[in-house]
Amino acid sequence: GIFTSLAPSFIAGSLHETSRFIAGLVVFAVFGSAALAQVVTGRLNSTIQLRLAAALMTAGQIGLAIAVLTVDWPLFLVAVIIAGAGGGIAFRSAVSSAASLALPPSRGEVLAVLFLIASAAIVFKCGGCEVVIDGGGVAIKAPLVTITAPTITLTKTTSEA
C-alpha cells in the first residue's frame, strides 16, 4: 500500500524523476520481487519463511527511511525490492497457514476473510496516515492512531560547504 500510494510522489518530488514509466517500474519492482520471492521460498518451512520475511521487511524499511532522508535513488530501489520480497514471503506464508488450518469445506471462506483483512489493513494504513516528504525531511502524522504515535518528524540536516 505504501509503495503504490507514496513511491510515485517521492520519485517525482524528491528524486526529480517525473516519468510515469519510472514510477510504474518502481511499483512493479515491489510486486515483482514479492512474486519472485514467493516462488523461490515456496519449499521452505513456515518458520523459516516468517523469519526471512521479517528480516527482509525490516531491512527494506530501514533502507527506505535512509533513502528518503538522503535522497538516494539506488538505495531507494534496492530497499523497495528487498521490502517487496519480504512482504511477498509474509503474504504467502499467511495464505499457506490459513489454508492448512481451515477444514476443506470452509477453506474458501477462510481465504476470503484473509484477503478481506489484508485489503482493510492497506486501506487503514494508507488512509490513516499522512506522510509529507519535502526537502526539509519527512513528517508522518497518524490521526487515527494518535494514542500510539501522534506525530513523528524526521529532519534532514545539511552541512555548510
Side-chain angles (χ1 to χ4, degrees), residues 13-103:
S14 296
L15 298 176
H16 309 293
E17 178 59 61
T18 58
S19 169
R20 290 183 181 163
F21 179 75
I22 298 296
L25 280 178
V26 171
V27 174
F28 172 78
V30 171
F31 292 109
S33 65
L36 182 62
Q38 289 176 13
V39 172
V40 170
T41 62
R43 296 197 180 263
L44 298 176
N45 73 42
S46 62
T47 302
I48 293 172
Q49 284 183 6
L50 288 174
R51 288 181 180 163
L52 181 60
L56 289 172
M57 287 191 299
T58 301
Q61 295 300 321
I62 290 169
L64 273 174
I66 293 169
V68 165
L69 290 173
T70 60
V71 191
D72 186 337
W73 174 249
L75 178 58
F76 179 77
L77 189 56
V78 169
V80 160
I81 292 169
I82 291 171
I89 296 168
F91 187 73
R92 184 191 192 291
S93 182
V95 170
S96 295
S97 295
S100 69
L101 293 172
L103 296 173

